Amino acid sequence: MAAVEKYLKPEVIRQISRLDLRAQFIVKGFMQGLHASPFHGFSVEFSEHRKYTQGDNPQDIDWLVYAKTDKYYVKKFEAETNITGYLAMDLSGSMAYRYQKELSKFEYATCIAAALCYLMVHQQDPVGLVTFGEKIIDVLPPKSKRQQIGNVLSHLARLKPRAKTDIATSLIQLAAMLRHSSLVMIFSDLLVDPEPVLAAMRRLKHGGHEVIVFHVLDQAEVDFPFDGLVELRDPETHERIQVDADGFRKDYLKAIGEFRETYKRECAKSRIDYLPLHTGMPFDKALMEYLLSRRNMG
């Protein structure tokens, strides 16, 4: 398993410069880990079957799967299996933050998005890309053809976080733009007032869309590894303040914990999948969240 896990570590991925190779490494490590875990067979199950529920025709039960799992699954019909996914990338200036030599928040998010693009196209699910700052900046329409991987990855590789952000306005725009039920995967550090953002996420959910929030923070933003007098700079306003890190740490950690807890609690109420991540975490947790969400849509 150690060889598999290395593919999923940000510090290993950071040494690979090309995004397509980064994505392939992550997916390879993830799929190998899946097969070497209690989830063996899950990668087939989640894509082609769903659990038998009352009202299903018993003739649709897949007895081969039952023989392996002792559980009743029915084969999904073509119309059930395909979902349209949108990778929604926050281009706010704060996403460029990195502490020391780690992946920036944006690079980390881009690696996950690229890997998800591979997984979706592999399942013949259409996937598109939306970038936003103060409003939606660019849209790459969803497609399921193999060349879409190249389209999405080359676009992701050219992106640079630069804009001020208005996440709520951008998500409301996205909700108005989507015509069919879709899976919306949001990548952001969410470093704004949570209330309008949560309201916009609820609007997406009420529009019939599944929503996964990949809340990406830098590991330093979560752990606050600073000592003594430090200068903090707002990446969007460029405002600078000096703080005594030792005196500030306790209040900071309490505030960041409450901030994440607010999103966790409110998203749970609205049946929105919320995944708190930081740039030191292996990538498999994020990919598993996608698989579980996708499976639930069946």
Side-chain angles (χ1 to χ4, degrees):
M1 282 292 285
V4 169
E5 285 165 6
K6 78 173 184 187
Y7 291 123
L8 296 163
K9 288 184 176 173
E11 63 265 32
V12 173
I13 294 301
R14 182 168 50 82
Q15 295 166 31
I16 304 166
S17 57
R18 277 175 44 187
L19 182 58
D20 58 336
L21 295 179
R22 282 181 173 183
Q24 286 177 48
F25 256 69
I26 293 166
V27 170
K28 181 179 178 183
F30 177 65
M31 295 310 265
Q32 284 181 6
L34 216 53
H35 289 303
S37 76
F39 282 95
H40 180 59
F42 182 85
S43 52
V44 174
E45 248 171 56
F46 90 84
S47 63
E48 295 180 1
H49 296 79
R50 63 173 166 76
K51 282 186 177 169
Y52 175 83
T53 52
Q54 205 143 14
D56 285 332
N57 187 340
Q59 291 178 334
D60 292 332
I61 291 172
D62 188 322
W63 295 106
L64 285 173
V65 171
Y66 174 76
K68 288 181 188 173
T69 64
D70 279 339
K71 292 177 184 166
Y72 296 112
Y73 281 87
V74 295
K75 189 92 171 162
K76 285 187 183 180
F77 297 104
E78 200 55 43
E80 289 182 289
T81 57
N82 292 114
I83 56 163
T84 298
Y86 285 89
L87 306 163
M89 307 294 297
D90 180 1
L91 296 187
S92 62
S94 62
M95 288 292 284
Y97 178 73
R98 82 176 76 225
Y99 178 59
Q100 295 179 333
K101 293 180 182 175
E102 303 306 320
L103 290 173
S104 71
K105 290 183 277 187
F106 188 72
E107 288 168 335
Y108 185 91
T110 301
C111 286
I112 297 172
L116 289 174
C117 178
Y118 263 97
L119 284 176
M120 291 200 75
V121 172
H122 177 69
Q123 298 300 331
Q124 298 178 324
D125 289 328
V127 59
L129 178 67
V130 175
T131 63
F132 63 89
E134 290 181 287
K135 59 182 181 179
I136 287 178
I137 296 168
D138 213 355
V139 178
L140 203 61
K143 290 180 183 164
S144 56
K145 300 276 190 289
R146 279 205 75 76
Q147 58 260 43
Q148 182 72 345
I149 296 174
N151 296 341
V152 172
L153 265 58
S154 64
H155 203 92
L156 282 171
R158 288 196 303 270
L159 291 175
K160 287 200 167 35
R162 63 187 186 281
K164 290 189 176 177
T165 196
D166 187 336
I167 302 169
T169 295
S170 301
L171 294 182
I172 288 166
Q173 269 189 301
L174 181 57
M177 188 185 89
L178 299 180
R179 294 281 169 263
H180 307 287
S181 292
S182 302
L183 174 62
V184 179
M185 295 161 275
I186 301 165
F187 299 84
S188 176
D189 56 12
L190 301 174
L191 294 180
V192 291
D193 176 17
E195 270 317 304
V197 177
L198 286 161
M201 288 175 183
R202 289 184 202 111
R203 185 181 291 207
L204 273 167
K205 187 72 181 176
H206 293 158
H209 308 293
E210 290 299 315
V211 181
I212 310 180
V213 183
F214 296 102
H215 187 188
V216 181
L217 293 175
D218 191 276
Q219 187 166 1
E221 290 175 321
V222 175
D223 297 341
F224 202 74
F226 308 105
D227 296 300
L229 205 61
V230 292
E231 186 175 82
L232 304 178
R233 182 177 70 88
D234 185 310
E236 290 178 32
T237 65
H238 303 297
E239 187 183 335
R240 295 171 187 269
I241 55 164
Q242 281 202 328
V243 297
D244 169 22
D246 302 308
F248 186 58
R249 178 175 292 104
K250 188 177 174 186
D251 288 344
Y252 173 84
L253 291 174
K254 182 170 184 281
I256 201 79
E258 287 172 355
F259 175 63
R260 293 169 109 191
E261 189 55 40
T262 296
Y263 273 104
K264 181 180 175 183
R265 182 183 64 248
E266 295 304 318
C267 285
K269 282 184 194 170
S270 301
R271 297 172 63 96
I272 291 166
D273 292 314
Y274 170 75
L275 193 63
L277 299 168
H278 66 65
T279 53
M281 289 174 66
F283 294 103
D284 53 346
K285 193 172 178 187
L287 301 194
M288 183 59 81
E289 187 71 22
Y290 156 74
L291 293 199
L292 292 170
S293 291
R294 187 196 187 290
R295 193 180 193 187
N296 292 340
M297 286 186 75

